Amino acid sequence: RKEVEQDPGPFNVPEGATVAFNCTYSNSASQSFFWYRQDCRKEPKLLMSVYSSGNEDGRFTAQLNRASQYISLLIRDSKLSDSATYLCVVNSQGAGYNTDKLIFGTGTRLQVFP
Amino acid sequence: DGGITQSPKYLFRKEGQNVTLSCEQNLNHDAMYWYRQDPGQGLRLIYYSQIVNDFQKGDIAEGYSVSREKKESFPLTVTSAQKNPTAFYLCASSSSGWGTGELFFGEGSRLTVL
């Protein structure tokens, strides 16, 4: 089982739609969670961190469910410019000192059409 | 402007040749990383360095080498021992390790081995 799993998509949605992505992680000791955005053939950029209480940034809402070990990203009122790949990233805690590292999911591709 | 600069953006090499990818940052970050991205796969960690003159192997270090002689620079050499070197290589840096999850990426280097 992969440490971080995402549905690769693509999710094809019309402008104005609401779309949600989930991401599951296998290491129950993971402490930090993030969503990155990657445009085609570009570098990833941090979109938002995911806090235990859930957090919102404009049209984007991120939530964490520790019991079921998944995080989600909700995008409301989709824009054409939201078309990208969304990477789920988990800070995976190792067994020893200073052994944590970031694990990147393979990404979920979103295509917003007019 | 502060950021990370990778060069070259595109590189073609023949099999059996070593190549070195440059990564320079002026963000005054202590930690730097090298990732590899292949189609349909998440970013995979090659090497990382949390401080000058120190670096650690990541998950796929075989066939690669790095150095960290200066805080600003973290070059990656892809050696002829790397079995499948054609990939998109991403360099990143962070101010405080993986804990915050915010990695700043360069624009990447696309290596094609003919």
Side-chain angles (χ1 to χ4, degrees):
Chain A
R1 184 185 172 188
K2 288 183 181 178
E3 287 193 69
V4 176
E5 291 202 68
Q6 296 183 252
D7 181 342
F11 284 59
N12 296 305
V13 302
E15 273 187 290
T18 296
V19 62
F21 313 132
N22 280 346
C23 163
T24 58
Y25 60 94
S26 61
N27 187 344
S28 59
S30 298
Q31 295 295 319
S32 311
F33 310 88
F34 313 91
W35 284 102
Y36 274 70
R37 171 190 168 131
Q38 186 174 24
D39 292 309
C40 188
R41 300 179 72 83
K42 298 285 189 180
E43 74 275 22
K45 293 183 180 177
L46 180 65
L47 178 66
M48 59 197 304
S49 302
V50 186
Y51 303 124
S52 297
S53 54
N55 49 301
E56 192 173 305
D57 183 1
R59 298 181 293 108
F60 297 83
T61 300
Q63 292 197 311
L64 167 64
N65 184 318
R66 284 192 187 275
S68 301
Q69 292 182 209
Y70 75 84
I71 66 173
S72 64
L73 178 67
L74 180 81
I75 305 175
R76 289 182 298 278
D77 189 22
S78 297
K79 312 289 185 194
L80 295 176
S81 57
D82 293 334
S83 298
T85 296
Y86 292 85
L87 307 178
C88 170
V89 184
V90 175
N91 186 332
S92 179
Q93 298 283 307
Y97 172 72
N98 203 25
T99 57
D100 62 329
K101 61 180 180 181
L102 289 182
I103 306 295
F104 285 76
T106 55
T108 297
R109 191 165 148 235
L110 172 66
Q111 185 67 48
V112 182
F113 57 88
Chain B
D1 283 340
I4 298 183
T5 302
Q6 286 186 243
S7 64
K9 274 193 174 178
Y10 300 94
L11 186 59
F12 297 87
R13 279 294 181 266
K14 292 182 181 178
E15 269 191 44
Q17 289 183 327
N18 290 358
V19 298
T20 297
L21 308 181
S22 168
C23 178
E24 304 278 331
Q25 55 101 355
N26 60 4
L27 299 167
N28 200 32
H29 286 170
D30 286 315
M32 296 187 74
Y33 315 82
W34 273 105
Y35 286 90
R36 169 182 172 142
Q37 188 173 36
D38 295 281
Q41 297 201 40
L43 274 68
R44 292 184 289 167
L45 183 65
I46 305 172
Y47 267 99
Y48 64 100
S49 168
Q50 295 182 309
I51 199 166
V52 175
N53 292 321
D54 185 52
F55 51 82
Q56 309 293 331
K57 290 182 178 180
D59 300 315
I60 55 165
E62 186 175 348
Y64 299 98
S65 66
V66 293
S67 63
R68 187 85 188 277
E69 296 174 3
K70 297 187 300 182
K71 187 175 186 178
E72 306 79 30
S73 179
F74 191 40
L76 174 74
T77 297
V78 185
T79 75
S80 56
Q82 169 49 233
K83 297 285 185 261
N84 186 17
T86 294
F88 186 41
Y89 290 89
L90 288 158
C91 178
S93 72
S94 68
S95 58
S96 57
W98 278 298
T100 63
E102 182 157 23
L103 301 186
F104 294 83
F105 286 89
E107 293 186 337
S109 294
R110 288 195 183 274
L111 172 63
T112 302
V113 175
L114 307 171

